[in-house]
């Protein structure tokens, strides 16, 4: 079983978040709102607090989505490794003039492989470049970047290919 350990800290001095090495740094310093973003009514402090809380939660969701993608991929990798191990002896057996495994064995292994492929297709978010959440969010939040940083840190895109 493979393990990945990432530390998580909140940094009140940083406005943006990032991954540095094996550490997720969540910037929790709030930015000053612009006059247009305040609109009519409401205090600057109340708006800052609400906007900052939403941005922080969305950053956590972006990082979590990247971690979940890697975890789902690890499950499929494990299933595929088990499948390869269970069929590893077949080529050697055939090269030495041995008999083919029974038809039911071959059908069973074919079904196992198709099942793994079906699970990959069900986890379409593994092969999609971005989850739907990021299409609906404001670009300036940088959520796509947070998601990509997790993918790079855990080699998700390389593992998918």
């Amino acid at each position: 079983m493979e393990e990945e350990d990432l530390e998580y800290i909140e940094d009140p001095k940083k406005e943006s978040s990032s991954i540095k090495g094996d550490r997720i740094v969540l910037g929790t310093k709030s930015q000053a709102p612009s006059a247009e973003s305040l609109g009519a009514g409401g205090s600057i402090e109340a708006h800052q607090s609400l906007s900052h809380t939403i941005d922080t939660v969305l950053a956590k969701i972006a990082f979590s989505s990247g971690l979940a993608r890697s975890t789902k991929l690890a499950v499929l990798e494990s299933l595929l490794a088990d499948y390869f191990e269970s069929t590893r002896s077949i080529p050697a057996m055939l090269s030495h003039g041995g008999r083919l495994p029974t038809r039911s064995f071959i059908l069973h292994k074919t079904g196992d492989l198709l099942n793994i492929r079906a699970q990959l297709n069900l986890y379409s978010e593994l092969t999609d470049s971005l989850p739907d959440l990021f299409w609906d969010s404001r670009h300036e939040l940088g959520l796509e970047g947070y998601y990509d940083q997790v993918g790079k840190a855990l080699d998700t895109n390389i593992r998918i290919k």
Side-chain angles (χ1 to χ4, degrees), residues 53-106:
T53 301
I54 291 171
D55 292 353
T56 302
V57 168
L58 288 173
K60 288 179 182 178
I61 290 171
F63 284 118
S64 296
S65 296
L67 292 169
R69 182 182 190 207
S70 180
T71 302
K72 289 176 184 176
L73 183 57
V75 168
L76 291 177
E77 289 170 332
S78 176
L79 289 173
L80 197 54
D82 291 346
Y83 174 81
F84 286 147
E85 183 61 33
S86 71
T87 59
R88 185 171 54 103
S89 63
I90 295 173
M93 182 180 13
L94 292 175
S95 71
H96 290 87
R99 296 189 56 184
L100 282 173
T102 64
R103 180 176 171 85
S104 65
F105 176 81
I106 292 171

Side-chain angles (χ1 to χ4, degrees), residues 58-59 61-63 66 69 129-131 133-135 137-152:
L58 288 173
I61 290 171
F63 284 118
R69 182 182 190 207
S129 59
L130 287 174
L133 164 73
F134 304 116
W135 291 103
S137 65
R138 298 188 325 264
H139 178 70
E140 61 270 9
L141 291 176
L143 300 180
E144 179 180 344
Y146 300 152
Y147 181 78
D148 288 341
Q149 287 179 46
V150 174
K152 286 178 186 169

Side-chain angles (χ1 to χ4, degrees), residues 5 19 29 32-33 42-43 49 51 58 63-64 91 96 105 110 121-122 134 142 145-147:
D5 289 326
I19 292 184
K29 180 179 180 182
S43 71
S49 177
S51 177
L58 288 173
F63 284 118
S64 296
H96 290 87
F105 176 81
T110 302
N121 291 338
L122 287 175
F134 304 116
Y146 300 152
Y147 181 78

